[in-house]
Amino acid sequence: MSITVDALGLAAVKGLSWSSAPEVHLIHDGVVGDRHWSPVTPDLTCIRATDHPAMVGVSAGSVDLPGAEHVLFDGRPQTVRYYSRPVTARIFDGPLAHRVSVAAGQRLYLACAEGPGHFLWSSPVSVLLRSELEDLPHDVARYRANVVLDDRGQPLSMGVGTRLVMGEAVLEVERELERCVIINHHARTGNRDASLLGRLRPGLLLGYGCAVVGPGGVNVGDSVRVLPGSLGLGSDR
């Protein structure tokens, strides 16, 4: 059986609702449209959804994003603190910023960087394997992975250096991703469900962080292959 792209997704604003997509475009910095934006405090510090999980239920599609009429500082780029990393971004107010403020219980604005990757601490693209979800909830949006691969008929064993060709793009695994407590909240409503983390099998990290070594478009249903010379299909699963 072939391995295929089962689902694709992104969040326009870091920490807010997750959206499925029939196709995405990958560049070296990540998924176009994914987390260009981040909520920030008045002193321009990014906040974490793990500290304010109700934000996960705030919808933020392209039509919800602030427009030029909501820009602050006369549109001049500001330096935003994303953990210890400085990010140059423009700052916006507006209806979405107010909705995020209500969800977080504090006044927030929205910072917009020029492209993906600025508000990601780990790898540019996250990949999830369906074969690793046995006995776990199958609503893949909950795990907030950019790419979900259906490898149930031919389970993949991936490690650092594994290269995956899908659609026009080529990904290379950089690391296994640490589990995040945000998956204890529904991907679209933000409602808490604390049952999941306790059900994870020992060693299951739920995702792989990948670099984009070949930019291009990816569609749901695209076939996936492992490039020769990289780590391939395992027989120990």
Side-chain angles (χ1 to χ4, degrees):
M1 296 179 64
S2 63
I3 300 167
T4 60
V5 176
D6 186 58
L8 299 165
L10 52 83
V13 181
K14 184 175 179 63
L16 271 56
S17 65
W18 195 253
S19 298
S20 298
E23 60 182 342
V24 296
H25 189 80
L26 306 183
I27 60 176
H28 286 296
D29 292 330
V31 180
V32 173
D34 184 34
R35 287 168 279 195
H36 292 210
W37 298 75
S38 175
V40 294
T41 59
D43 68 353
L44 303 186
T45 299
C46 294
I47 68 170
R48 299 184 299 178
T50 50
D51 294 330
H52 305 278
M55 294 195 313
V56 175
V58 178
S59 61
S62 58
V63 297
D64 301 300
L65 297 174
E69 68 275 17
H70 300 126
V71 73
L72 303 177
F73 302 104
D74 294 323
R76 297 189 303 274
Q78 305 294 308
T79 298
V80 169
R81 289 184 296 279
Y82 176 56
Y83 294 93
S84 60
R85 179 191 301 162
V87 176
T88 300
R90 293 194 298 158
I91 312 302
F92 293 79
D93 201 353
L96 180 58
H98 285 273
R99 288 167 52 206
V100 177
S101 298
V102 171
Q106 66 182 93
R107 187 67 172 99
L108 297 172
Y109 301 99
L110 293 173
C112 180
E114 289 189 357
H118 297 284
F119 296 125
L120 288 174
W121 193 256
S122 187
S123 300
V125 178
S126 56
V127 174
L128 179 70
L129 302 179
R130 277 278 195 178
S131 64
E132 295 189 335
L133 298 183
E134 183 180 358
D135 300 325
L136 294 173
H138 288 182
D139 178 9
V140 293
R142 180 168 191 165
Y143 306 104
R144 302 175 73 87
N146 296 124
V147 180
V148 180
L149 302 183
D150 188 351
D151 65 329
R152 288 171 290 186
Q154 192 177 5
L156 278 169
S157 179
M158 302 210 300
V160 175
T162 301
R163 285 198 173 190
L164 302 168
V165 180
M166 55 189 74
E168 302 170 338
V170 182
L171 300 179
E172 181 173 293
V173 176
E174 294 185 319
R175 58 178 61 85
E176 290 182 282
L177 297 177
E178 295 182 3
R179 295 194 294 256
C180 179
V181 297
I182 203 62
I183 64 174
N184 262 6
H185 296 262
H186 191 279
R188 299 180 183 88
T189 67
N191 293 335
R192 181 171 173 77
D193 173 8
S195 66
L196 178 58
L197 288 183
R199 296 167 58 190
L200 297 181
R201 299 191 302 278
L204 182 60
L205 298 182
L206 281 182
Y208 299 84
C210 297
V212 181
V213 296
V218 180
N219 292 266
V220 171
D222 282 345
S223 60
V224 179
R225 61 186 178 92
V226 180
L227 287 181
S230 64
L231 298 180
L233 299 176
S235 58
D236 56 345
R237 290 197 178 183

